[in-house]
Amino acid sequence: MEFSTIWLFVIAAATLLIIPGPAVLYIMARSIDEGKKAGLVSVLGVSLGGSVHVLAGAIGVSAILMTSATAFNIVKYLGAAYLIYLGCKTLFSTSDRTTSEISKAPRKKLLKIFYQSALVEVMNPKTALFFLAFFPQFISPSAGSVTVQFLLLGTIFIILAFISDGLYAVLAASIRKRIKVSSKLQNRITGYLYIVLGVFSAFASPSNSKT
């Protein structure tokens, strides 16, 4: 793969990542609800989920998923249901947390956030569809192994997304500190955001493939 092609991919990917998608909104919701540390852990989880899609795309599993409308819909609705579940759970939470308590979230809590975030991204088939639609535009069979090229582009995209998502997580945490809303209001904002994301994921057209 030529160096100029890689740079073109970087520019195109960075441009796409500037516009917040469902994954970014999910990360921002975490930061607003539970602080910067939870938001950054969510970024790590989403990155892991994205890496799973990259590996799946490279070996052709995602291609198989995209050819089956039934498989796509099953994964899509499971992911949407999980987001709605998180929203309802947050809405009905009765915990009264302070900023200092959130910033000192125990390791087990952060691990749970990490796994939840990874699961949300893994169960988003639109990510797989996006990779399969976007990456081939920069892959040339004559430049070597298509699998290696896919993995290379995927790695670059995950790194760029990690940086972009991290900045959004920090921004959301900063907004949260400035606003200083009550924990009950934070739960409502975050819970409704999760539910909206879940409904959007369930009814969005597969052609709208940006993550």
Side-chain angles (χ1 to χ4, degrees):
M1 181 175 291
E2 296 182 358
F3 189 72
S4 59
T5 302
I6 295 177
W7 268 111
L8 183 61
F9 174 82
V10 170
I11 295 173
T15 301
L16 288 171
L17 288 169
I18 290 175
I19 305 172
V24 171
L25 296 179
Y26 169 82
I27 289 168
M28 292 183 72
R30 280 292 192 186
S31 287
I32 293 173
D33 184 37
E34 300 177 82
K36 181 172 67 176
K37 186 179 293 185
L40 293 175
V41 170
S42 297
V43 173
L44 289 172
V46 169
S47 296
L48 176 61
S51 298
V52 171
H53 282 294
V54 169
L55 289 173
I59 63 177
V61 173
S62 291
I64 297 175
L65 177 65
M66 291 305 107
T67 60
S68 172
T70 300
F72 181 92
N73 287 328
I74 288 175
V75 176
K76 181 178 73 171
Y77 290 131
L78 283 175
Y82 186 65
L83 282 172
I84 294 173
Y85 160 76
L86 289 178
C88 292
K89 184 179 179 181
T90 303
L91 279 176
F92 293 108
S93 174
T94 57
S95 60
D96 186 15
R97 299 163 300 170
T98 63
T99 301
S100 60
E101 287 173 338
I102 293 172
S103 64
K104 296 179 181 179
R107 183 173 299 179
K108 288 185 178 180
K109 174 65 174 178
L110 293 178
L111 282 175
K112 183 178 180 180
I113 292 173
F114 174 78
Y115 293 133
Q116 285 180 339
S117 302
L119 183 60
V120 166
E121 184 67 1
V122 168
M123 296 181 70
N124 180 11
K126 290 173 64 181
T127 300
L129 180 59
F130 171 74
F131 287 162
L132 288 173
F134 184 57
F135 288 8
Q137 311 303 319
F138 303 89
I139 293 176
S140 174
S142 62
S145 171
V146 171
T147 300
V148 172
Q149 292 182 66
F150 196 101
L151 288 173
L152 174 61
L153 295 179
T155 300
I156 294 173
F157 189 90
I158 294 298
I159 292 174
L160 292 174
F162 177 82
I163 296 172
S164 175
D165 292 348
L167 292 175
Y168 275 114
V170 173
L171 174 62
S174 176
I175 293 174
R176 177 183 178 279
K177 288 183 178 180
R178 292 175 183 274
I179 296 178
K180 293 183 179 180
V181 295
S182 67
S183 61
K184 184 176 293 186
L185 181 56
Q186 289 175 21
N187 286 347
R188 288 181 179 178
I189 294 173
T190 307
Y192 285 128
L193 182 55
Y194 284 152
I195 293 173
V196 169
L197 287 174
V199 173
F200 175 80
S201 298
F203 292 99
S205 170
S207 61
N208 182 16
S209 56
K210 185 181 180 296
T211 58

